[in-house]
C-alpha cells in the first residue's frame, strides 16, 4: 500500500469498487473513463509503480493470466491489452495496470 496511490486505495476497499476478477496476487476493475465498451484494468495487489519497477516474473505471469480471465468473464473474444510506461507514454496512474479493451 503506497500513500496517495488511487489504485492502492481501490484495492484497500476505500471506495467500495467491485472487482471484475481477483485472486491472491491481482485484481481487475472497470476503468472509470472507459475508452471501449469493455475497459477493465488489471493491477497487482502489491504496489508496483510501473512495468519498469516490476521484477517478479511470476507476477508478470499472474497479470497476463488475469487478462485472459477478464476476457472470459466479460465475454470478449477479441481485445487489446495495453500498458503505458512513463509519463511521456501517457501513464497517469503510477500503480502498474494492464488495460483490457474490447467489444462484446
Ligand atoms: P494510464 O493513462 O495508463 O495511467 O491509465 C490510467 C487509467 O486509470 C485511465 O484510463 C483512467 O480512466 C483510469 N482511472 C483513474 N482513476 C480511476 C479510478 N478511480 N477508478 C477506475 N479507473 C480509474
Ligand atoms: Zn498503488
Amino acid at each position: 500500500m503506497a500513500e496517495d496511490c488511487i489504485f492502492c486505495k481501490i484495492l484497500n476497499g476505500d471506495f467500495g469498487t467491485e472487482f471484475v476478477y481477483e485472486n491472491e496476487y491481482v485484481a481487475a476493475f472497470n476503468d472509470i473513463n472507459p475508452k471501449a465498451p469493455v475497459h477493465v484494468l488489471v493491477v497487482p495487489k502489491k504496489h508496483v509503480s510501473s512495468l519498469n519497477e516490476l521484477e517478479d516474473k511470476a507476477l508478470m505471469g499472474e497479470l497476463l493470466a488475469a487478462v485472459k480471465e477478464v476476457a472470459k468473464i466479460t465475454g470478449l473474444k477479441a481485445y487489446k491489452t495495453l500498458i503505458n510506461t512513463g509519463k511521456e507514454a501517457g501513464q497517469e496512474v503510477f500503480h502498474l495496470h494492464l488495460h483490457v479493451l474490447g467489444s462484446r
Side-chain angles (χ1 to χ4, degrees):
M1 172 100 194
E3 293 280 317
D4 296 329
C5 173
I6 189 88
F7 288 177
C8 280
K9 286 180 184 159
I10 286 173
L11 290 167
N12 199 41
D14 290 10
F15 309 119
T17 306
E18 205 177 303
F19 294 140
V20 174
Y21 172 75
E22 82 171 303
N23 67 23
E24 193 181 341
Y25 309 106
V26 303
F29 49 85
N30 287 313
D31 195 292
I32 204 170
N33 180 23
K35 290 166 188 76
V38 175
H39 187 174
V40 174
L41 302 174
V42 175
V43 306
K45 285 196 169 173
K46 75 169 182 193
H47 181 85
V48 177
S49 54
S50 85
L51 184 61
N52 281 342
E53 281 70 42
L54 180 61
E55 307 283 351
D56 183 344
K57 288 187 180 172
L59 186 52
M60 292 182 190
E62 290 291 341
L63 288 162
L64 277 183
V67 168
K68 285 176 61 178
E69 287 300 323
V70 165
K72 205 188 287 176
I73 289 163
T74 59
L76 296 179
K77 269 189 250 159
Y79 53 92
K80 292 182 201 299
T81 307
L82 175 74
I83 305 174
N84 293 322
T85 306
K87 204 178 235 169
E88 295 81 355
Q91 186 176 4
E92 288 173 1
V93 176
F94 284 81
H95 180 128
L96 174 63
H97 50 282
L98 286 69
H99 296 258
V100 182
L101 298 138
S103 305
R104 263 186 263 266

